[in-house]
Amino acid sequence: MNGAAQDLYDRQIVERARNPLYAGELPVPDLQGEGRNPLCGDRTRLDITLEGHHISQIRHRTRGCALCIAAADMLAERLGGCGLEEARAVGARFSAMLVAPDDPAETTVQKAAKRIENPPEGIPSLGGMEPLMAVRFHKARIRCVELPWVALKEALAHVRV
Amino acid sequence: MNGAAQDLYDRQIVERARNPLYAGELPVPDLQGEGRNPLCGDRTRLDITLEGHHISQIRHRTRGCALCIAAADMLAERLGGCGLEEARAVGARFSAMLVAPDDPAETTVQKAAKRIENPPEGIPSLGGMEPLMAVRFHKARIRCVELPWVALKEALAHVRV
Amino acid sequence: MNTDRTLKAAPAGKLDVQAVRAQFPILSETVHGRPFVFLDSGASAQKPAVVIDCMADAMRHQYANIHRGLYWMSERTSEAYEAVRGQVAAFLNAPSHEEIIFTRNSTEAINLVAHSLGSLMKPGQAVLISEMEHHANLIPWQMLRDRSGVELRVAPITDEGDLDMEAYGRLLEDGKVALVAMTHMSNVLGTVTPAREIADRAHEAGALVLFDGSQAAVHRRTDVQALGADFYTFTGHKLYGPTGIGVLWGRRALLDDMPPFLGGGDMISSVTFEKSTWANVPHKFEAGTPAIVETIGLGAAIRWVESIGFDAIEAHEQALTAYALEKLADVPGLKVVGAPKQRGGVISFTMADVHPHDIATLLDRNGIAVRAGQHCAEPLMRRLGLHATTRASFGVYTDTHDIDVLAETLARIRDFFV
Amino acid sequence: MNTDRTLKAAPAGKLDVQAVRAQFPILSETVHGRPFVFLDSGASAQKPAVVIDCMADAMRHQYANIHRGLYWMSERTSEAYEAVRGQVAAFLNAPSHEEIIFTRNSTEAINLVAHSLGSLMKPGQAVLISEMEHHANLIPWQMLRDRSGVELRVAPITDEGDLDMEAYGRLLEDGKVALVAMTHMSNVLGTVTPAREIADRAHEAGALVLFDGSQAAVHRRTDVQALGADFYTFTGHKLYGPTGIGVLWGRRALLDDMPPFLGGGDMISSVTFEKSTWANVPHKFEAGTPAIVETIGLGAAIRWVESIGFDAIEAHEQALTAYALEKLADVPGLKVVGAPKQRGGVISFTMADVHPHDIATLLDRNGIAVRAGQHCAEPLMRRLGLHATTRASFGVYTDTHDIDVLAETLARIRDFFV
Ligand SMILES: Cc1ncc(COP(=O)(O)O)c(C=O)c1O
Ligand SMILES: Cc1ncc(COP(=O)(O)O)c(C=O)c1O
């Protein structure tokens, strides 16, 4: 495949989509959430168990494209063991990165690279999810990697932290 | 005024509009008809008296532009004394002339001139109404000279010939 | 003609009219062998080269159907289309680009509100319009009345052509008026209505307010928040933009509550044969493939208008209108219709003994384009006791030379008939 | 790539594809550094230079608002606009140009009928559509159902993707169906429906019939009289024409009886505040300033299509579709959706283990534009047991090279994922 596609369909992403590590369900989840894209029928369901104010386990059932599956799996990986507050903060950062407004002085690639590599102080890192940020340059696909985060939001909607 | 306007606003037409010969009403009309152009509020009313199957007199009350007034007055002049059948035929010819399809081989002026000057056999002449034919080249104004003929049609609608 | 366009200075303001004119290819055309003098911008404005080129360029280099397309051409075209929503929002000072709905024209925008908001109204409620509405802001409400039993009220105007504010207040008194739908500028009288006051009084009486900005948005800066509007409409082709594109702005909370108008692709969230759910605004109100290239062209038109700036445009048009009123006063037998407190660049007139149709045709033979008739405002004509008028309307490219030629030719036409 | 566009002969018929391609400026663009391969004509076609130039020329040299204008520019523009009505009537073999109504797109045309004809329907009557409708021919009828209590029936399709004619007949049996509204060609399956038979059976059962010709009118000669249609719709942007312009054809007697849809200027005969009367068709259905330049552009598109001729277009597209079906059959894991009796130039497919979104994005990175998703036909997707498909659709400019590049790239994408 050609250069920029390689960026988006990074080997890590494609591998993760083919062999997700966190696919499946949990027998007795404490929280559940679902994200749907009615325009293409894609869907992610999250099962979450808690230990106090921490996420202990996450599993996802995803019907979607490679980006969506990888995003769900990477979410599960990143947030396992996380505090609920931190989980929300990671989600906020993830969304903000996806739609960050353009700074015309920089090339888009420079800009994204900078923001991804140097998160401002106190802001949680995206960890292994960074390869997903290439989707910034494929606007129509942003919805695909956001879907698991929509599911997370639903799951956390009724939990007070 | 400039050339072609002169054609349309022929001295005869302007004179006739300023000093119509047949404006007014008839005390006891046998037939009446009205033509209206709702798009500009213009209106012609015709009063007609009959002698047998002949029109004896016509008067018109016209609220409209110079072309409309002249057309109404010329109609009254041309049809006074006419048989009803001939009146209808003159009307048909008048309308046909106004919308005659274009023959691309001739210039429009040649063509109109020819048709006006040489009516096919058996077809009634337009008499003094010929100057009105210049309106053919001003499509948006055709409705103005047709209005009195709409009134005539209404007046004759219920008369058997 | 003893007037010479190239030697005259611009009438006022910082606008260089000759530089503006040079950007409109059509203004160099001749008509009946005469230079084209275009005084019908109120019906539709001419298009600057940047608008024409922008549309052609889109179709030459960057076009595909928008939304849903996961490929470069579609993404770029979607971006270009959606960017215009932001531009329009800024143009109107609307709080959000999501409140901008693209329609075919102002007429469709008003019909959309009449259908969608109208379907929420009940018998016993009323819609209040004025005597000087364009048919576009009258017929949709008549049709709503006949469909649903809502009452249609008409606020009178004064003999000068201003809204009668006292009568307007009285019509609001019983609290039954759910919506005031009023022109922001009359296309016949040129009257600019006191929108803020109209809106305040409407709101005090519990009514919403829609302004038909088809004429107003062309001549002055529009700030829907400062005006206190709930809905505002305008139409691209009068704003030096393409045909086939218009705008409805509405407050988000209202648009959210309104049911969709047209059904089809792109306005849904999910669909089964039994039941469908709707997309969020603005998409809920944009069914099917929109006027993509025309929307992009509207963006170019707005960019162009803003590059000149409404300060310059308004100053130019005000000076020109004052000049025209003066010049026309010298034409024997000519009477200007209405004397509103505030007038945009529109002047309707009558000329004793000469019918507007004859005036228009004879002006045309001299290359001058004006409008004659009822101007899609038949009830207003009746109110004014007229059957038709002749109307000259001005745009950013109109200059004093145009006015001089008009006045001189009118005087000659008058001589011809008298 | 070992295929070379310039050295290949046209696949069939008399159409010189390379000469056709040369008339579409956008086809020489590159995308991500690759030559642009456009296989999404079913969503919207690209525009030949003659259409682009015709629109630009109108705005440069001959433009003004139409109707009502008593001056040269307005009369000429009105003539150009009205001439397209005649062209469209000939294009559809409609009995009269007065039966041609200009709309924004096919979606609006169908909504017009759903509102206007729909307002004459009563509870107890039914509208019958099929399982393979585009949302444009589904949602308007759902909205009518919810507004007025008319029943909505859905005729099933076979597993091959053809209309199930037996079931269709049964749904008509009780005589309650007032209108059959059906696609003339599916935008997902490519199915060309047996329109004449559908119409005959509808008429026998006392129903009217509307065909959604959005796809069909692009690929084959359309004769509304031979089809036995009562209404027919199509959309300009798929016919190599501008956005913002569509067509509704309807039989005169029906249009005469139908109330207007949108209210405003140009659709009235007379107006008072109490009551208005309507203009004759087609003007009754065209409120406000229409998409003037786009209508003129549609005229140029139809002229262009007719200069090539539907014999050549159909032969070309049939040969190309056959070629594509063969080539795609060789791609491992690829499954074409549906096998209708008659197929226009549209092929939907799935590829085992690779999601349509991924396919579309990876094709795009190679310059190839296809569509992926539900194609505004969500209930059809459900019927097919699919969540989404990838769709390649062909136009008059599509050549075998495009197909070769598609097939090769799909094979490489498959390798990438498996
Ligand atoms: C005041 C006013 N309202 C509405 C309209 C309708 O605009 P459009 O025909 O573009 O819908 C016009 C233009 O004719 C107008 O002048
Ligand atoms: C079968 C069918 N019907 C209707 C439409 C709607 O066309 P438009 O979006 O131009 O109104 C389409 C195009 O997407 C289509 O393919």
Side-chain angles (χ1 to χ4, degrees):
Chain A
M1 298 285 99
N2 168 341
Q6 212 82 311
D7 290 346
L8 183 58
Y9 288 87
D10 180 280
R11 209 66 243 178
Q12 274 182 67
I13 291 178
V14 175
E15 266 315 311
R16 195 56 90 92
R18 267 158 54 175
N19 302 304
L21 306 174
Y22 301 89
E25 349 190 7
L26 294 173
V28 196
D30 295 307
L31 304 173
Q32 288 190 305
E34 188 180 75
R36 285 176 152 276
N37 185 349
L39 300 180
C40 59
D42 285 0
R43 197 179 65 198
T44 306
R45 288 189 185 146
L46 294 184
D47 285 357
I48 299 176
T49 53
L50 298 180
E51 275 179 34
H53 283 322
H54 277 68
I55 291 172
S56 51
Q57 284 202 78
I58 309 191
R59 289 291 178 279
H60 67 95
R61 279 160 293 165
T62 300
R63 180 179 76 207
C65 61
L67 301 182
C68 185
I69 297 171
D73 215 63
M74 288 168 166
L75 176 154
E77 182 172 60
R78 172 71 180 81
L79 300 187
C82 236
L84 290 176
E85 211 159 339
E86 189 186 349
R88 281 208 182 92
V90 175
R93 172 140 195 263
F94 188 82
S95 298
M97 294 297 320
L98 288 177
V99 299
D102 290 335
D103 173 351
E106 293 177 296
T107 70
T108 41
V109 177
Q110 282 178 327
K111 189 173 36 191
K114 203 172 73 185
R115 290 220 186 82
I116 291 163
E117 287 154 22
N118 309 307
E121 297 263 343
I123 294 199
S125 94
L126 293 180
M129 299 189 296
E130 276 147 21
L132 288 174
M133 281 301 141
V135 81
R136 279 202 64 208
F137 314 117
H138 298 259
K139 261 200 174 152
R141 303 298 305 279
I142 288 179
R143 189 91 185 133
C144 302
V145 304
E146 272 183 339
L147 218 55
W149 296 91
V150 171
L152 181 76
K153 217 168 178 175
E154 190 184 294
L156 301 185
H158 304 292
V159 195
R160 292 260 168 75
V161 185
Chain B
M1 298 286 99
N2 165 340
Q6 212 81 312
D7 290 347
L8 183 57
Y9 289 87
D10 180 279
R11 211 65 243 176
Q12 273 181 66
I13 291 177
V14 175
E15 267 315 311
R16 193 59 89 93
R18 267 159 55 175
N19 303 303
L21 308 175
Y22 301 89
E25 348 188 8
L26 294 175
V28 195
D30 296 307
L31 304 172
Q32 288 191 304
E34 188 179 73
R36 284 175 152 278
N37 184 349
L39 301 179
C40 60
D42 286 358
R43 197 179 65 197
T44 307
R45 289 189 184 144
L46 295 185
D47 285 357
I48 299 176
T49 52
L50 298 180
E51 274 178 36
H53 282 322
H54 277 69
I55 291 171
S56 52
Q57 284 202 79
I58 309 190
R59 289 292 178 279
H60 67 96
R61 280 159 293 164
T62 300
R63 180 179 77 207
C65 60
L67 301 182
C68 184
I69 298 172
D73 215 63
M74 287 169 168
L75 176 154
E77 181 172 61
R78 172 70 181 78
L79 299 188
C82 237
L84 291 177
E85 212 160 339
E86 189 187 349
R88 283 207 181 93
V90 174
R93 172 138 195 265
F94 188 82
S95 298
M97 295 297 318
L98 288 176
V99 298
D102 289 336
D103 172 352
E106 293 178 297
T107 71
T108 41
V109 177
Q110 281 177 328
K111 188 173 36 192
K114 203 171 73 186
R115 290 219 186 84
I116 291 164
E117 286 155 24
N118 309 308
E121 297 263 342
I123 294 200
S125 95
L126 294 179
M129 299 189 297
E130 277 146 21
L132 290 173
M133 282 300 140
V135 82
R136 279 203 63 207
F137 313 117
H138 298 259
K139 261 202 175 151
R141 304 298 304 280
I142 288 179
R143 188 91 186 134
C144 302
V145 304
E146 272 183 339
L147 217 54
W149 296 90
V150 171
L152 181 75
K153 217 168 178 176
E154 189 184 295
L156 300 187
H158 303 291
V159 194
R160 293 261 166 75
V161 186
Chain C
M1 294 293 125
N2 57 4
T3 51
D4 178 356
R5 181 165 278 142
T6 55
L7 299 181
K8 283 225 161 182
K14 277 154 275 159
L15 189 140
D16 178 349
V17 202
Q18 298 320 316
V20 166
R21 294 180 64 86
Q23 298 177 53
F24 287 80
I26 206 169
L27 296 180
S28 341
E29 294 289 316
T30 57
V31 164
H32 305 306
R34 304 291 184 98
F36 183 39
V37 172
F38 185 66
L39 293 168
D40 196 24
S41 292
S44 195
Q46 298 298 343
K47 323 301 174 201
V50 287
V51 168
I52 302 168
D53 294 345
C54 161
M55 293 173 71
D57 279 354
M59 290 187 274
R60 275 179 203 288
H61 303 300
Q62 196 194 85
Y63 174 79
N65 210 332
I66 60 169
H67 306 312
R68 286 330 114 67
L70 301 176
Y71 54 90
W72 193 88
M73 280 287 176
S74 174
E75 289 182 25
R76 291 299 85 70
T77 310
S78 301
E79 273 174 19
Y81 176 87
E82 289 298 332
V84 180
R85 236 188 265 283
Q87 261 187 285
V88 172
F91 179 76
L92 296 177
N93 193 31
S96 161
H97 65 100
E98 290 175 347
E99 298 174 336
I100 303 301
I101 295 161
F102 292 121
T103 62
R104 175 173 41 242
N105 50 25
S106 211
T107 301
E108 194 200 10
I110 297 170
N111 276 274
L112 190 162
V113 178
H115 270 266
S116 177
L117 188 74
S119 74
L120 305 173
M121 294 185 194
K122 303 260 167 328
Q125 293 191 304
V127 173
L128 174 55
I129 62 172
S130 87
E131 273 183 338
M132 60 182 152
E133 299 310 321
H134 187 280
H135 292 163
N137 195 32
L138 161 55
I139 313 281
W141 308 114
Q142 269 190 343
M143 289 169 74
L144 172 63
R145 176 195 67 192
D146 297 344
R147 204 163 52 231
S148 74
V150 163
E151 186 192 347
L152 181 60
R153 294 185 186 177
V154 184
I157 58 170
T158 65
D159 290 338
E160 288 72 38
D162 283 307
L163 184 65
D164 179 337
M165 291 304 287
E166 261 181 66
Y168 171 65
R170 278 194 303 276
L171 287 163
L172 286 167
E173 258 166 20
D174 65 5
K176 290 187 175 172
V177 175
L179 177 73
V180 172
M182 211 156 291
T183 192
H184 192 194
M185 174 176 154
S186 161
N187 63 312
V188 177
L189 301 165
T191 312
V192 177
T193 55
R196 178 77 216 195
E197 200 183 337
I198 291 170
D200 286 347
R201 299 246 211 137
H203 291 150
E204 278 160 31
L208 298 170
V209 59
L210 173 150
F211 290 115
D212 170 2
S214 310
Q215 293 291 337
V218 180
H219 301 293
R220 311 172 154 224
R221 186 172 290 112
T222 305
D223 181 335
V224 293
Q225 298 188 70
L227 293 175
D230 297 299
F231 298 98
Y232 200 92
T233 74
F234 73 90
T235 193
H237 67 96
K238 294 191 206 275
L239 191 66
Y240 313 102
T243 47
I245 182 69
V247 167
L248 170 66
W249 167 79
R251 283 201 294 112
R252 177 68 189 248
L254 297 168
L255 296 177
D256 279 342
D257 287 346
M258 284 158 57
F261 173 40
L262 303 184
D266 282 337
M267 53 69 77
I268 53 92
S269 164
S270 75
V271 178
T272 67
F273 288 122
E274 293 70 39
K275 191 179 157 38
S276 299
T277 58
W278 314 130
N280 290 332
V281 294
H283 303 291
K284 178 169 75 174
F285 293 108
E286 294 180 7
T289 305
I292 299 169
V293 175
E294 292 63 35
T295 306
I296 292 169
L298 176 64
I302 290 178
R303 217 163 22 245
W304 185 81
V305 164
E306 288 177 338
S307 77
I308 297 182
F310 273 110
D311 288 338
I313 292 175
E314 197 180 335
H316 168 65
E317 291 181 359
Q318 286 300 311
L320 201 69
T321 305
Y323 183 83
L325 287 168
E326 210 171 282
K327 275 277 174 177
L328 291 176
D330 292 342
V331 177
L334 190 146
K335 257 189 67 180
V336 169
V337 178
K341 295 200 184 85
Q342 279 197 62
R343 182 197 285 273
V346 166
I347 301 177
S348 281
F349 58 87
T350 58
M351 205 159 76
D353 297 327
V354 192
H355 192 285
H357 284 182
D358 296 323
I359 295 174
T361 298
L362 286 166
L363 286 175
D364 175 52
R365 299 306 311 186
N366 288 275
I368 307 164
V370 297
R371 195 136 288 236
Q374 305 196 328
H375 315 293
C376 293
E378 203 176 323
L380 173 60
M381 288 291 136
R382 211 166 286 122
R383 162 66 180 84
L384 297 169
L386 297 170
H387 301 295
T389 72
T390 307
R391 181 187 77 180
S393 54
F394 314 136
V396 61
Y397 39 62
T398 311
D399 65 7
T400 51
H401 176 80
D402 292 334
I403 308 289
D404 294 341
V405 175
L406 172 69
E408 281 173 39
T409 313
L410 283 171
R412 287 194 294 132
I413 289 171
R414 157 94 176 167
D415 289 346
F416 183 67
F417 277 93
V418 185
Chain D
M1 295 293 126
N2 56 5
T3 50
D4 179 353
R5 181 166 278 141
T6 55
L7 299 181
K8 284 224 162 183
K14 275 154 276 161
L15 190 140
D16 179 350
V17 202
Q18 298 320 316
V20 166
R21 294 180 65 86
Q23 299 177 53
F24 288 79
I26 207 170
L27 296 180
S28 340
E29 294 290 316
T30 56
V31 164
H32 304 307
R34 305 291 184 100
F36 183 40
V37 172
F38 184 66
L39 292 168
D40 195 25
S41 292
S44 195
Q46 298 298 344
K47 324 301 174 200
V50 287
V51 168
I52 302 168
D53 294 345
C54 162
M55 292 173 72
D57 279 355
M59 291 187 274
R60 276 179 203 288
H61 303 299
Q62 197 194 85
Y63 174 79
N65 210 331
I66 60 168
H67 306 313
R68 284 334 112 67
L70 301 177
Y71 54 90
W72 192 90
M73 279 288 177
S74 174
E75 289 183 25
R76 290 301 83 70
T77 310
S78 302
E79 275 174 18
Y81 176 86
E82 289 298 332
V84 180
R85 237 188 264 284
Q87 261 187 285
V88 172
F91 179 75
L92 296 177
N93 192 32
S96 161
H97 65 100
E98 291 175 347
E99 298 174 336
I100 303 300
I101 296 161
F102 292 122
T103 62
R104 175 174 38 242
N105 50 24
S106 210
T107 301
E108 194 199 10
I110 297 170
N111 277 274
L112 190 163
V113 178
H115 270 266
S116 177
L117 187 75
S119 74
L120 304 173
M121 294 186 194
K122 303 258 167 328
Q125 293 191 302
V127 173
L128 174 55
I129 62 172
S130 86
E131 272 183 338
M132 62 182 150
E133 299 309 321
H134 187 280
H135 292 163
N137 195 32
L138 161 56
I139 313 282
W141 308 114
Q142 270 189 342
M143 291 169 74
L144 172 64
R145 177 196 64 192
D146 296 344
R147 205 162 54 231
S148 75
V150 163
E151 185 192 346
L152 181 59
R153 295 185 185 177
V154 184
I157 58 169
T158 65
D159 290 338
E160 287 72 38
D162 283 307
L163 184 66
D164 179 337
M165 291 304 287
E166 259 181 68
Y168 172 64
R170 277 194 303 277
L171 286 163
L172 287 168
E173 257 167 20
D174 66 4
K176 288 187 176 174
V177 174
L179 177 73
V180 172
M182 211 156 290
T183 193
H184 192 194
M185 175 175 152
S186 162
N187 64 311
V188 177
L189 301 165
T191 313
V192 177
T193 55
R196 177 76 216 196
E197 198 182 337
I198 291 169
D200 286 347
R201 298 244 210 138
H203 291 150
E204 278 161 31
L208 297 170
V209 60
L210 173 149
F211 290 115
D212 170 2
S214 309
Q215 295 291 338
V218 179
H219 300 294
R220 311 171 155 226
R221 185 171 291 112
T222 305
D223 180 335
V224 293
Q225 298 188 68
L227 294 175
D230 297 299
F231 298 98
Y232 200 93
T233 74
F234 73 91
T235 193
H237 67 94
K238 293 191 207 274
L239 191 66
Y240 313 101
T243 47
I245 182 68
V247 167
L248 169 67
W249 167 79
R251 283 202 294 111
R252 175 68 189 249
L254 297 168
L255 297 176
D256 280 342
D257 287 346
M258 285 157 58
F261 173 42
L262 304 183
D266 282 338
M267 53 69 76
I268 54 90
S269 164
S270 74
V271 179
T272 68
F273 287 120
E274 293 70 39
K275 190 179 158 40
S276 299
T277 58
W278 315 129
N280 289 333
V281 295
H283 303 291
K284 178 169 76 175
F285 292 108
E286 293 180 8
T289 304
I292 299 169
V293 174
E294 292 64 35
T295 306
I296 292 169
L298 176 63
I302 290 179
R303 217 164 22 246
W304 185 81
V305 165
E306 288 178 337
S307 77
I308 296 181
F310 273 110
D311 288 339
I313 293 175
E314 198 181 333
H316 168 65
E317 290 180 0
Q318 286 301 311
L320 202 68
T321 305
Y323 182 82
L325 287 169
E326 211 171 281
K327 275 277 174 179
L328 292 176
D330 292 342
V331 177
L334 190 146
K335 256 190 69 183
V336 169
V337 178
K341 294 200 185 85
Q342 279 198 63
R343 182 198 286 272
V346 166
I347 301 177
S348 280
F349 58 87
T350 59
M351 205 159 76
D353 297 326
V354 192
H355 191 286
H357 284 183
D358 297 323
I359 296 175
T361 298
L362 287 166
L363 286 175
D364 176 51
R365 299 306 311 186
N366 288 274
I368 307 164
V370 298
R371 195 138 288 237
Q374 305 196 327
H375 315 291
C376 292
E378 202 176 322
L380 172 60
M381 287 292 136
R382 212 167 285 120
R383 161 65 181 85
L384 297 169
L386 298 169
H387 301 296
T389 72
T390 306
R391 181 187 76 182
S393 54
F394 314 137
V396 60
Y397 38 63
T398 311
D399 65 8
T400 50
H401 177 79
D402 292 335
I403 308 290
D404 293 341
V405 175
L406 171 69
E408 282 172 39
T409 313
L410 283 170
R412 287 193 295 133
I413 290 171
R414 158 94 176 165
D415 288 347
F416 183 67
F417 276 93
V418 184

